[in-house]
């Protein structure tokens, strides 16, 4: 790779149960820079589906905004996804967390019949149309399955989720910690992260391996 890769990162809020998984998001940003790249964080400017108390697991009676919450992880350096321009980036990556299945899509509620947020789909299709790599961690591969259908990917070993992505037309590969499935035709790299019973070191390994796979797809 002759130049430093500039990678767009799409977040879905802040917190595993109603937004982006913070370990996955942070380790993704770290992996990008560790491998010589730079990043810009994006999120859709929409309300979260709901807000979860991360101690009790109970729903709270309040509303939060996905962009504002994701800005906590990005330390304020974030842009609304409506302003995303595929020409400005070499690749795009999505960490997981339930926000990917509740805010970026409706997978948590509708399974294989889920809908994808329009700005998310536009960004992903825009990158794919230009032949640029896309990375997805944890549950977020369901988004690329719904958008593209015929794609090879992984969400780890969860049978129900694997069946759902296959119902969307995808080919699922069972994987363990840190393993990456690369669809070379689509230029899509996926890894299971917290879809498995993982620790933060294993999350770091998965994020690093996906970023490395994406960089290889740029060559």
């Amino acid at each position: 790779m002759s130049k430093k890769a500039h990678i767009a990162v799409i977040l879905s809020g802040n917190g595993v149960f109603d937004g982006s998984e913070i370990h996955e998001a942070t380790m993704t940003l770290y992996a990008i820079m560790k491998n010589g790249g730079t990043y810009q964080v994006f999120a859709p400017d929409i309300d979260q589906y709901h807000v979860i108390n991360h101690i009790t697991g109970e729903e709270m009676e309040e509303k939060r905004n996905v962009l504002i919450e994701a800005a906590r992880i990005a330390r304020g350096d974030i842009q609304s996804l409506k302003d995303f321009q595929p020409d400005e980036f070499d690749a795009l990556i999505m960490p997981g967390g339930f926000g990917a299945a509740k805010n970026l899509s409706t997978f948590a509620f509708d399974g294989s019949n889920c809908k994808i947020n329009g700005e998310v789909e536009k960004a992903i299709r825009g990158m794919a149309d230009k032949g640029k790599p896309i990375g997805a961690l944890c549950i977020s591969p369901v988004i690329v399955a719904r958008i593209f259908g015929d794609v090879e990917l992984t969400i780890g070993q969860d049978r129900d989720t694997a069946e759902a992505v296959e119902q969307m037309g995808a080919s699922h590969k069972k994987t363990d910690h840190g393993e990456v499935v690369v669809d070379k035709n689509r230029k899509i790299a996926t890894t299971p992260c917290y879809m498995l019973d993982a620790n933060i070191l294993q999350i770091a390994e998965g994020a690093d391996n996906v970023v490395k796979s994406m960089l290889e797809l740029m060559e």
Side-chain angles (χ1 to χ4, degrees), residues 92-189:
L92 179 151
I93 190 167
M94 295 180 292
F98 276 101
K102 295 177 178 179
N103 304 327
L104 304 187
S105 74
T106 64
F107 182 81
F109 319 108
D110 302 324
S112 60
N113 294 316
C114 66
K115 296 180 180 178
I116 308 300
N117 172 275
E119 292 176 358
V120 173
E121 182 166 359
K122 182 179 179 182
I124 291 172
R125 286 193 181 277
M127 295 298 280
D129 289 346
K130 295 180 179 298
K132 297 181 177 182
I134 296 164
L137 285 62
C138 193
I139 192 63
S140 65
V142 302
I143 294 174
V144 296
R146 184 59 175 162
I147 291 173
F148 298 116
D150 184 16
V151 58
E152 188 173 290
L153 52 74
T154 186
I155 51 78
Q157 301 176 19
D158 183 76
R159 184 174 65 181
D160 290 343
T161 308
E163 289 178 354
V165 298
E166 289 180 339
Q167 288 171 8
M168 290 187 272
S171 174
H172 180 264
K173 303 296 182 184
K174 185 181 291 187
T175 51
D176 209 336
H177 298 292
E179 294 181 344
V180 177
V181 170
V182 178
D183 186 318
K184 292 184 178 179
N185 291 327
R186 291 283 190 183
K187 291 189 176 181
I188 293 173

Side-chain angles (χ1 to χ4, degrees), residues 11-15 20 29 40-44 48 65-80:
L11 297 184
S12 59
N14 178 28
S20 287
L29 302 181
Q40 175 61 55
V41 180
F42 290 87
Q48 291 182 189
N65 176 278
V66 171
L67 178 63
I68 292 172
E69 290 301 298
R72 295 175 181 272
I73 299 174
R75 296 175 59 86
D77 184 8
I78 194 168
Q79 295 180 19
S80 173

Side-chain angles (χ1 to χ4, degrees), residues 19-110:
S20 287
E21 208 299 312
I22 297 172
H23 296 172
E24 292 176 10
T26 302
M27 291 305 171
T28 294
L29 302 181
Y30 176 75
I32 291 170
M33 296 206 73
K34 175 186 173 185
N35 287 285
T38 59
Y39 59 80
Q40 175 61 55
V41 180
F42 290 87
D45 187 2
I46 58 175
D47 286 340
Q48 291 182 189
Y49 173 77
H50 59 189
V51 179
I52 297 295
N53 181 320
H54 278 58
I55 298 175
T56 65
E58 296 178 355
E59 186 171 350
M60 301 173 67
E61 293 185 7
E62 63 177 84
K63 289 187 177 295
R64 296 190 186 182
N65 176 278
V66 171
L67 178 63
I68 292 172
E69 290 301 298
R72 295 175 181 272
I73 299 174
R75 296 175 59 86
D77 184 8
I78 194 168
Q79 295 180 19
S80 173
L81 191 56
K82 68 180 176 59
D83 297 322
F84 176 79
Q85 297 294 329
D87 287 336
E88 297 177 1
F89 297 92
D90 301 298
L92 179 151
I93 190 167
M94 295 180 292
F98 276 101
K102 295 177 178 179
N103 304 327
L104 304 187
S105 74
T106 64
F107 182 81
F109 319 108
D110 302 324

